[in-house]
Amino acid sequence: MRKATIILVFWMGLAAACAQAEVTYAKEVSRILADRCQQCHRPGDIGPMSLLSYDDAVNYAPDIKRVVSGGIMPPWKPSESHGKFKGAFALKPEEKLDLLAWIENATPMGDEADLPPKPEDKGAWVLGEPDLVVKMPVAFVPARGKDVYRCFVVPTGMDADKFVSAIDIVPGNRKIVHHVIVYLDSTGEAEKLDAKDEEPGYDCYGGPGFDLGGSNLLSLLMDGYTLGGWAPGARPELLPKGVGMKLGKSAKIILQVHYYTSARTGEDQTSVGIYFNKEKVEKQLYYLPVVQTRLNIEAGDPASLATTNFPVLPFFEMSVINVFPHMHLLGTKIEVEKQYKGEKEQIILINNWDFNWQGAYTFEQPVRMPANSQLNLRCIFDNSVNNPRNPNNPLKAVKWGEGTEDEMCLAFVGVVFDRF
Ligand code: HEC
């Protein structure tokens, strides 16, 4: 009798374990796709196919297996082992295992009663209606078949300086708008470039198309030169309470839009939603460039290294709120490290840099930078024929510059200072 009970308990346990092991669409996979894939893979969005339904997931199962096991999708770039970021949409290790097990197991639906409720439609703006919406003045149709980088000058119509807590982008055409960087210009340079070009906007690649630094770097830092970037799938994040980005009344917004038109093109008229700080702003967010402009990337070098550091002097103690790494097509790896009293901590590492998936990343906890600490930046470039993105054929030595064929080694860090 006792033996029989033990055997029974054993079998029940095994059955429970097996039931647990079977990953179903209804229970796990539908939720994983909703959290990690559907923000891009839905009708009319940037993903090349929709992954909203069970049939979609089954149809694309072999492709999902390939891109998920290869770490290609979802395109969340920062390495999981360094730095925790708000809104991260990387697959957790167990989610990856579940997805692959489900495909291995012939994609069972499971019990439809387990399906998650349909998500509510949040409307165009994730954070709710913005305080100010500005739009590209006229629609633009990028050429089909290549990457197009175009800057558009957008006046704000504001009559007083204000502080901005967050921006969000609503692409006019989600199928082709790949990423957007929002620059500010109070010099009138952007309008001159716009006037020279007959089409709406003007071509620009590594920046807004004019020298941001100019002769007056300090005023640029004080007045702000960017409101951040946007890429598909990213959620806008409000800055911490009491922190704001300055938007001067005379500043023009420059929308730098990357159009991805390999398969299709169309009309686009993208909008920016601006959320002003509601409460008193105690601290301005400053974007500091941690940058190495002396680049000398030899032709053929598969791993050319560029480094620099940014020391924090006494009186300038600060906290890093977000980070925006930037290289061009030869870049393969970029990392930013905090160094303090002999201790080093990688705060962001991107091991498989892809110019098409650059973004600004907001730390879950701001990174404290005491006096005498420093930020170290390291960039690695592959200027060999084995880099499929290498724009130079024949190979050539590459230096710093704004063009597609030039390179950059740069991380903008959004910081607040303790003392001002
Ligand atoms: C941030 C947007 C985004 C997210 C999130 C995303 N994708 Fe993609 N996906 C794309 C884009 C855009 C492409 C087209 C290729 C490219 O640009 O890399 C793509 C391509 C693919 C392809 C390849 C199509 C092909 O045959 O080449 C598959 C499969 C895929 N995604 C599956 C997924 C899965 C599964 C997830 C979630 C685990 C996911 N994607 C998350 C944007 C996204």
Side-chain angles (χ1 to χ4, degrees):
M1 194 60 188
R2 183 174 266 188
K3 206 171 191 179
T5 314
I6 291 173
I7 290 172
L8 186 68
V9 169
F10 173 75
W11 277 113
M12 280 167 61
L14 194 68
C18 287
Q20 213 175 22
E22 172 159 272
V23 179
T24 65
Y25 179 80
K27 235 187 194 149
E28 291 90 3
V29 172
S30 51
R31 289 174 172 82
I32 299 171
L33 297 180
D35 291 349
R36 311 288 185 217
C37 316
Q38 289 167 4
Q39 71 263 45
C40 300
H41 290 278
R42 54 185 170 150
D45 216 304
I46 190 87
M49 72 286 187
S50 169
L51 289 176
L52 288 187
S53 70
Y54 174 68
D55 289 347
D56 295 335
V58 172
N59 280 341
Y60 289 103
D63 302 285
I64 295 175
K65 182 177 168 184
R66 172 172 50 84
V67 296
V68 166
S69 54
I72 299 166
M73 286 283 146
W76 175 262
K77 290 288 155 183
S79 159
E80 285 300 286
S81 50
H82 308 283
K84 293 274 168 276
F85 298 99
K86 292 186 176 171
F89 55 81
L91 283 171
K92 296 199 180 105
E94 62 273 19
E95 294 173 333
K96 186 169 170 175
L97 289 177
D98 278 357
L99 264 181
L100 295 175
W102 177 72
I103 294 169
E104 214 49 52
N105 222 359
T107 63
M109 166 53 108
D111 183 350
E112 287 188 32
D114 292 334
L115 283 169
K118 267 220 154 56
E120 55 175 314
D121 185 2
K122 294 202 201 78
W125 303 101
V126 178
L127 297 176
E129 203 52 39
D131 301 308
L132 175 67
V133 179
V134 294
K135 198 176 192 175
M136 279 161 50
V138 287
F140 177 68
V141 182
R144 202 188 82 77
K146 55 176 193 160
D147 292 295
V148 173
Y149 304 90
R150 192 91 182 159
C151 281
F152 304 94
V153 183
V154 186
T156 65
M158 285 172 16
D159 54 13
D161 296 351
K162 288 204 167 159
F163 282 97
V164 175
S165 180
I167 56 158
D168 194 6
I169 302 282
V170 169
N173 187 340
R174 284 186 186 273
K175 292 181 183 169
I176 57 171
V177 173
H178 203 294
H179 76 254
V180 180
I181 300 174
V182 180
Y183 292 103
L184 299 175
D185 180 32
S186 309
T187 65
E189 285 300 317
E191 279 169 300
K192 284 187 205 153
L193 290 167
D194 194 8
K196 274 194 222 152
D197 193 309
E198 284 179 8
E199 297 261 309
Y202 57 92
D203 286 332
C204 57
Y205 177 76
F210 53 91
D211 187 4
L212 272 176
S215 52
N216 204 343
L217 189 63
L218 188 65
S219 85
L220 195 80
L221 289 177
M222 299 306 287
D223 288 340
Y225 55 88
T226 177
L227 295 177
W230 174 93
R235 256 188 70 98
E237 299 288 346
L238 289 168
L239 286 173
K241 205 158 178 253
V243 178
M245 296 175 275
K246 189 169 169 191
L247 176 56
K249 61 172 189 249
S250 59
K252 299 273 188 322
I253 286 180
I254 314 300
L255 286 186
Q256 188 199 35
V257 185
H258 168 199
Y259 294 105
Y260 174 82
T261 58
S262 58
R264 53 204 169 186
T265 187
E267 245 184 30
D268 172 55
Q269 198 169 0
T270 285
S271 306
V272 194
I274 300 175
Y275 298 85
F276 295 120
N277 291 75
K278 300 292 180 304
E279 73 295 337
K280 190 171 176 310
V281 171
E282 316 273 344
K283 299 277 178 193
Q284 183 177 340
L285 186 86
Y286 296 95
Y287 279 104
L288 305 179
V290 181
V291 55
Q292 178 53 276
T293 55
R294 276 168 306 170
L295 298 179
N296 193 1
I297 307 170
E298 301 285 348
D301 190 341
S304 172
L305 173 70
T307 63
T308 189
N309 58 59
F310 185 96
V312 178
L313 304 176
F315 195 78
F316 292 94
E317 298 82 354
M318 64 189 198
S319 295
V320 181
I321 308 283
N322 56 24
V323 58
F324 188 173
H326 186 72
M327 303 187 288
H328 292 176
L329 296 167
L330 297 180
T332 55
K333 180 169 168 177
I334 187 163
E335 64 183 87
V336 182
E337 181 181 77
K338 165 186 169 179
Q339 181 177 346
Y340 183 54
K341 290 190 170 164
E343 299 232 344
K344 291 178 176 174
E345 177 198 347
Q346 255 170 344
I347 60 171
I348 187 166
L349 167 66
I350 297 179
N351 261 320
N352 49 348
W353 172 258
D354 182 346
F355 184 82
N356 286 338
W357 289 111
Q358 53 182 317
Y361 302 100
T362 305
F363 291 100
E364 270 183 7
Q365 294 299 325
V367 180
R368 281 293 305 149
M369 297 298 295
N372 303 314
S373 62
Q374 67 181 46
L375 289 169
N376 300 326
L377 172 67
R378 266 192 292 273
C379 303
I380 294 185
F381 304 95
D382 180 353
N383 194 11
S384 73
V385 284
N386 295 330
N387 181 352
R389 299 195 181 98
N390 199 326
N392 301 312
N393 181 13
L395 297 178
K396 61 170 200 180
V398 171
K399 291 201 178 334
W400 172 274
E402 285 230 341
T404 338
E405 295 170 20
D406 307 316
E407 265 304 332
M408 291 197 175
C409 171
L410 166 66
F412 291 112
V413 287
V415 306
V416 290
F417 293 99
D418 288 8
R419 299 183 199 235
F420 47 92

